[in-house]
Amino acid sequence: MKTSNKLFYCLSFALLMGTSGEAQFFKKLAKKAEKAAERTVERRVEKETTKKTDQALDSILEPGSGGKQTPGNENIPNGEGSTTSGSPISTGPQTIEIYSKFDYVPGDKPIFYDDFNDDFMGDFPSKWNTNGSGEVVTLGNIPGKWYSVANRSLTIPNLGTTLPEDFTMEFDLKVTNLTRNTGSGAILGIYLSETDGLTTNENHVKANLNFCQYIAIGVRVENEFRGDPAPIANTMQQDFREIYKDVAHVSIAVNKNRYRLWLNEVKVVDLPQFIVKPELINYIKFYVNGIDKQKRQEQVLISKLKISEGGVDLRRKLMSEGKISTNGILFNSGSADILPQSMGIIRQISQVLNQDSSISLNIVGHTDSDGSDESNITLSKNRAEAVKNALVSVYGISADRLTSEGKGEAEPVADNGTTQGKAQNRRVEFIKK
């Protein structure tokens, strides 16, 4: 009897433990399922919150968009003035063919040029002024020297003169280490201002290039002239995020009231009455904000800033005078490889030749004094021939209407002892035969 009781108690205990263990197992399983459900809900809530946040940012940063993400090539007018070209912006290596419809033509009388080659590494560039900081640097995989503009810094090239009513400016732009953490406040502001003081509280026009990576913001343009009853404030909406990850070429042309801006080969801004009072536009200023160099290694770098008087229609000048000289056709250093952004001038020459089939041209290349006489003669000949070949291969001009020659450094028009003088001497002439 005792044995039977013991067996009964053991079996009862075993069954009780089994039932309790199974209950605990299902209880744990239920808790895991509950937590998984909670995580799913959290992810969905986070996704919806992010979506709503982006829409709210869209509506704030790009008024008139209705809180919707805007496709990269659509144009959203937000004020007076023209909207932008719907052409896609090219990324990666640029070619002459890509730039074949580029219509920017630089001025023919140099005012200012700086590639920072005369400055020491780590120094603030000698031809500039600032209320912040900055230094000359190099980039490991990109040739040349660059000016790294400090965050929240206003910086001014010392032109030595005021800007004329008709002028052009262009420069290379590189922004390092752009990521999705690069916010909507990351900008380069390009100001055309009244004074050379370190302020923007004056009559001016500006274009803000925005480097934000989590939303496409585009280029913001604004003008501010005292007494103007209808100032312009407009966002030119295109998706430029990818081109800012490479070296971008920025070109600006001002012809009295008209203001145009190109990124690489595409015209982004064309405002016919943007410069309300041309007589008050005298200086160029750059402003950088929203860039984190210390934590995220972001930098805004510019190089090869070139400012020239003119930018007028070279076609009419060639037709009326029979000759033009331009330093706006640029080549890689020491070579005859045409930089693609030079195609605006070559395009205008082709239009003259297409309009009047009786015209034939002689193309003459000139260099600065760097290098030997013999090497400069060869280089200038090769560059003139490269321009001829571009007219033939890209624009279909008959080769028998064109000749080319090179004069090396023999006929300088400026002092070869300065960077600016050398830039003037590197030129191409087109002469009617």
Side-chain angles (χ1 to χ4, degrees):
M1 186 66 181
K2 290 182 178 178
T3 303
S4 298
N5 286 340
K6 287 181 179 178
L7 183 60
F8 172 76
Y9 291 138
C10 286
L11 287 173
S12 298
F13 180 74
L15 286 172
L16 182 62
M17 290 298 293
T19 303
S20 175
E22 186 176 356
Q24 294 217 357
F25 170 76
F26 282 114
K27 189 174 181 181
K28 287 181 181 179
L29 188 63
K31 283 187 177 180
K32 287 184 178 180
E34 183 180 353
K35 288 182 179 179
E38 287 176 356
R39 287 196 298 270
T40 301
V41 171
E42 286 174 358
R43 283 196 296 268
R44 289 189 178 181
V45 169
E46 183 180 1
K47 184 177 179 181
E48 289 300 314
T49 302
T50 301
K51 183 178 178 182
K52 295 296 183 184
T53 302
D54 283 346
Q55 289 177 352
L57 280 170
D58 281 349
S59 65
I60 294 169
L61 296 171
E62 299 160 290
S65 66
K68 296 180 181 179
Q69 287 276 13
T70 307
N73 292 331
E74 288 186 10
N75 304 316
I76 306 243
N78 181 33
E80 296 183 32
S82 86
T83 55
T84 67
S85 164
S87 303
I89 301 290
S90 300
T91 60
Q94 303 300 297
T95 67
I96 285 177
E97 286 72 20
I98 287 174
Y99 274 82
S100 62
K101 295 182 180 179
F102 185 46
D103 59 352
Y104 168 78
V105 176
D108 54 2
K109 184 179 178 182
I111 296 174
F112 180 89
Y113 178 79
D114 202 358
D115 58 7
F116 311 109
N117 280 336
D118 294 336
D119 292 302
F120 291 103
M121 297 289 297
D123 280 1
F124 185 83
S126 57
K127 298 179 183 178
W128 294 66
N129 190 21
T130 185
N131 63 359
S133 185
E135 62 179 336
V136 175
V137 301
T138 58
L139 296 174
N141 58 341
I142 302 175
K145 292 182 178 179
W146 296 77
Y147 172 24
S148 175
V149 185
N151 188 48
R152 301 190 69 179
S153 176
L154 188 65
T155 187
I156 305 172
N158 297 321
L159 303 184
T161 184
T162 56
L163 293 168
E165 285 191 339
D166 297 300
F167 69 91
T168 62
M169 63 177 290
E170 55 186 304
F171 60 93
D172 287 340
L173 169 67
K174 173 65 180 173
V175 189
T176 63
N177 207 39
L178 291 174
T179 68
R180 283 189 63 83
N181 291 323
T182 303
S184 58
I187 62 162
L188 171 64
I190 306 168
Y191 285 78
L192 305 180
S193 290
E194 182 179 3
T195 76
D196 60 353
L198 291 165
T199 179
T200 58
N201 186 24
E202 58 188 4
N203 296 294
H204 68 266
V205 301
K206 71 174 179 179
N208 280 351
L209 310 184
N210 197 297
F211 309 126
C212 179
Q213 292 296 296
Y214 62 80
I215 185 174
I217 294 179
V219 175
R220 179 75 174 174
V221 292
E222 296 179 9
N223 65 357
E224 185 175 325
F225 292 92
R226 294 184 188 93
D228 180 17
I232 292 172
N234 197 359
T235 298
M236 306 302 185
Q237 173 60 36
Q238 280 187 260
D239 191 346
F240 304 128
R241 287 175 289 182
E242 287 301 315
I243 72 159
Y244 291 137
K245 293 180 180 179
D246 200 350
V247 175
H249 192 74
V250 182
S251 309
I252 294 173
V254 171
N255 300 102
K256 294 181 174 62
N257 303 104
R258 187 181 185 188
Y259 177 97
R260 289 170 290 165
L261 183 147
W262 293 258
L263 283 177
N264 287 350
E265 80 283 5
V266 172
K267 187 189 298 178
V268 179
V269 179
D270 193 345
L271 295 166
Q273 297 297 323
F274 194 51
I275 313 292
V276 176
K277 298 177 180 179
E279 68 275 12
L280 298 180
I281 296 302
N282 298 312
Y283 297 95
I284 292 165
K285 304 177 183 181
F286 297 92
Y287 177 69
V288 169
N289 198 22
I291 293 296
D292 191 337
K293 183 179 179 180
Q294 185 174 2
K295 293 182 179 179
R296 297 200 293 263
Q297 290 75 55
E298 298 168 344
Q299 294 185 79
V300 173
L301 307 152
I302 61 178
S303 189
K304 299 178 182 176
L305 174 64
K306 178 183 177 184
I307 304 166
S308 301
E309 184 175 357
V312 297
D313 195 331
L314 295 178
R315 295 168 296 187
R316 298 183 186 278
K317 187 173 182 180
L318 181 58
M319 294 286 285
S320 62
E321 299 180 14
K323 176 182 177 179
I324 59 170
S325 176
T326 176
N327 53 26
I329 299 178
L330 306 178
F331 302 84
N332 280 322
S333 180
S335 82
D337 297 331
I338 300 173
L339 294 181
Q341 58 263 29
S342 305
M343 292 304 290
I345 295 174
I346 300 175
R347 179 174 179 260
Q348 283 201 354
I349 300 301
S350 74
Q351 290 171 333
V352 172
L353 292 167
N354 281 324
Q355 181 172 309
D356 188 343
S357 59
S358 68
I359 294 177
S360 296
L361 293 177
N362 185 35
I363 305 167
V364 184
H366 299 267
T367 68
D368 59 32
S369 61
D370 290 350
S372 67
D373 291 351
E374 183 179 353
S375 65
N376 284 333
I377 286 289
T378 300
L379 180 61
S380 62
K381 284 181 178 178
N382 290 342
R383 286 178 170 177
E385 187 66 17
V387 174
K388 173 185 172 181
N389 291 339
L391 285 165
V392 173
S393 62
V394 178
Y395 298 106
I397 304 300
S398 175
D400 59 15
R401 298 174 63 190
L402 304 169
T403 56
S404 64
E405 63 176 306
K407 295 189 176 182
E409 61 184 89
E411 299 180 4
V413 294
D415 181 8
N416 273 308
T418 67
T419 298
Q420 188 167 325
K422 289 178 181 179
Q424 288 182 252
N425 290 330
R426 295 189 295 267
R427 65 194 193 277
V428 177
E429 292 179 307
F430 297 90
I431 304 169
K432 286 171 66 174
K433 296 192 292 183

